Amino acid sequence: MKKGNLHTLHGGDLDEISRIYGIDKKDILNFSGNVNPLGLPLSVKNAIINNPDAAVNYPDVSYVELRRAIGEYTGTDHEHIVVGNGSTELISLFIKITAPKKALIVSPAYSEYLNEVKLSGGSAELFPLRDEEEFRLNEERLITAVTDDTDLLVICNPNNPTGTYIDCAVIKKLLAHCKETGTYVMIDETYVEFSDREKNVSAIPLAKEFKNLFVIRGTSKFFACPGLRLGYGICSDEGLLERINKCKDPWSVNIFAEIAGRTMFADREYAKRTLELTGRERKRIYAALKEFKNIHVYESQSNFFLCRIEKEDITSTQIFEELIKDNILIRDASDFPYLGSRYLRFCILDENSNTLLLNSLKKCIE
Ligand SMILES: Cc1ncc(COP(=O)(O)O)c(C=O)c1O
């Protein structure tokens, strides 16, 4: 791999980083993957350990029990839920099935949306969130940008990499407008459970009313299980769900992910501990960074922060290189559209690790 691509690998590409820098994976403090530092819930570990022989069976091809568990967790009818091999499979399937000729992607955003639109033969326009607006959505501008030609609007909420969010009341206005223009709306809520305003952010309660809405959720980040590959989609257009299910490979969610899913959503204790840790550290890190010279931090409703370096003679790539010497891995965000060589992103880990990062970062920029 060319070194130029190195800093902008997907957050989870620990193996590649480990090979290139010669650091053992387990010695890397990974601030780039956005994964919950509490690790896999104990309830899930036990459920898997106690069922090793489950592997001799195929999973339920319709995943009824798993979808019921998700239904209970999200307050949704299980008939309106589809499960996938990570949220990635569902992003891909939904775009393939709806085959938008023209998509509008609120950006900077997770790169897979654009990749999938291109792969499905469509074209995408990027709708810019602006630095001078702190990367918060300007709803009037977006409504004007969605026209009768827009087949699909893609939103990540809260957004990766900015951490900003859109209130559910604004989403409702957007959905009503998109219904008029005949536009599907795909909302990726991979990070919504980390928000302390989840109820005001999630669009799931709107799915019944708006058949043009497809909400995608993953489990990789909040339940710390990217290796299990479990995601789900919620939509009240049963015809569309049927088309997605027809296109999907059978058993794409493996049986251990199925067992994990039937356990994790009921683990309220784990969710509570996660929110306590994330909420507390989000406040502490934000306050600390506000006091730093030469850096601007954006408010976040997620488990990560985007920052802009304000020192002329240092780039995010140089900071990446400096921090990796201390085995600290952050995301050089310079390759995201509308960002550039001064932006970096890092997630919230445990208190000690976060302090280490803050200290190392301070050394680099002050
Ligand atoms: C916004 C967003 N959506 C989806 C994904 C992919 O997640 P999954 O592991 O559920 O496929 C990521 C991974 O980084 C992400 O940041």
Side-chain angles (χ1 to χ4, degrees):
M1 168 169 315
K2 283 207 316 251
K3 224 168 175 193
N5 296 336
L6 181 58
H7 317 101
T8 53
L9 297 164
H10 271 301
D13 287 331
L14 264 195
D15 293 286
E16 202 62 45
I17 296 284
S18 153
R19 274 192 289 274
I20 294 166
Y21 286 92
I23 311 170
D24 200 316
K25 248 187 350 183
K26 68 177 182 343
D27 295 331
I28 297 176
L29 267 181
N30 185 7
F31 287 92
S32 80
N34 298 344
V35 173
N36 185 341
L38 292 183
L40 196 63
L42 187 61
S43 56
V44 172
K45 270 188 203 168
N46 287 336
I48 293 174
I49 289 167
N50 292 334
N51 289 286
D53 293 328
V56 303
N57 295 315
Y58 282 94
D60 170 8
V61 74
S62 334
Y63 298 100
V64 175
E65 288 308 316
L66 176 57
R67 289 189 296 124
R68 281 195 211 281
I70 297 167
E72 233 166 81
Y73 180 63
T74 55
T76 312
D77 184 341
H78 78 282
E79 296 290 351
H80 291 166
I81 295 170
V82 57
V83 293
N85 189 276
S87 59
T88 299
E89 185 185 23
L90 297 166
I91 294 169
S92 169
L93 276 171
F94 181 72
I95 292 176
K96 208 178 279 166
I97 296 289
T98 54
K101 280 202 192 71
K102 192 179 147 206
L104 185 65
I105 304 174
V106 177
S107 301
Y110 183 54
S111 56
E112 287 305 310
Y113 315 135
L114 180 58
N115 292 344
E116 289 296 340
V117 169
K118 283 186 185 159
L119 276 175
S120 76
S123 72
E125 201 180 296
L126 305 185
F127 175 86
L129 296 170
R130 292 181 176 158
D131 192 341
E132 58 271 26
E133 294 171 337
E134 293 285 306
F135 293 114
R136 295 194 190 109
L137 180 75
N138 180 323
E139 64 180 89
E140 297 308 326
R141 230 174 6 99
L142 180 57
I143 285 183
T144 311
V146 176
T147 65
D148 290 345
D149 293 341
T150 316
D151 301 307
L152 171 67
L153 171 65
V154 182
I155 295 173
C156 182
N157 197 28
N159 187 40
N160 175 15
T162 60
T164 46
Y165 75 100
I166 307 171
D167 200 273
C168 186
V170 173
I171 300 270
K172 189 169 178 177
K173 276 197 231 165
L174 288 170
L175 283 165
H177 176 70
C178 288
K179 197 172 157 185
E180 295 284 307
T181 55
T183 306
Y184 278 117
V185 181
M186 182 177 92
I187 304 185
D188 180 347
E189 294 190 352
T190 288
Y191 296 100
V192 78
E193 290 130 297
F194 290 107
S195 165
D196 52 26
R197 299 179 202 166
E198 181 184 346
K199 284 209 164 54
N200 295 331
V201 180
S202 177
I204 287 178
L206 300 171
K208 244 192 180 157
E209 186 180 342
F210 293 96
K211 284 197 187 311
N212 57 332
L213 171 65
F214 191 67
V215 180
I216 291 181
R217 290 249 185 121
T219 60
S220 300
K221 313 296 183 177
F222 190 78
F223 293 100
C225 57
L228 274 180
R229 313 301 308 132
L230 174 63
Y232 52 97
I234 295 177
C235 179
S236 62
D237 182 342
E238 285 168 15
L240 183 78
L241 285 180
E242 201 181 312
R243 278 155 65 208
I244 290 178
N245 277 320
K246 271 203 181 125
C247 192
K248 199 162 92 84
D249 286 337
W251 311 295
S252 68
V253 173
N254 75 74
I255 200 142
F256 295 112
E258 186 194 18
I259 290 171
R262 283 164 51 191
T263 311
M264 62 176 61
F265 299 114
D267 193 339
R268 302 311 300 162
E269 178 60 27
Y270 179 86
K272 190 166 160 259
R273 282 197 299 128
T274 302
L275 280 175
E276 275 165 11
L277 172 68
T278 315
R280 190 176 65 240
E281 286 298 282
R282 187 165 47 218
K283 275 201 195 99
R284 185 177 76 93
I285 295 169
Y286 184 76
L289 288 169
K290 278 288 200 196
E291 298 299 315
F292 276 29
K293 283 189 221 123
N294 303 325
I295 204 158
H296 178 79
V297 57
Y298 301 88
E299 262 185 72
S300 171
Q301 266 301 309
S302 192
N303 65 330
F304 53 80
F305 284 102
L306 180 74
C307 294
R308 187 187 67 236
I309 305 149
E310 296 187 320
K311 199 172 179 210
E312 288 290 304
D313 59 353
I314 190 159
T315 64
S316 46
T317 305
Q318 285 167 321
I319 291 180
F320 175 99
E321 293 287 353
E322 276 308 304
L323 295 183
I324 200 74
K325 287 181 194 159
D326 294 337
N327 292 1
I328 291 176
L329 175 63
I330 57 160
R331 176 69 154 85
D332 171 1
S334 55
D335 67 324
F336 281 99
Y338 307 115
L339 300 187
S341 62
R342 311 224 165 257
Y343 293 83
L344 47 92
R345 190 197 71 197
F346 56 83
C347 66
I348 298 170
L349 296 183
D350 62 278
E351 188 176 336
N352 287 343
S353 306
N354 297 334
T355 301
L356 271 178
L357 170 69
L358 287 171
N359 292 341
S360 296
L361 193 57
K362 194 168 197 167
K363 261 198 300 183
C364 291
I365 58 163
E366 288 195 354

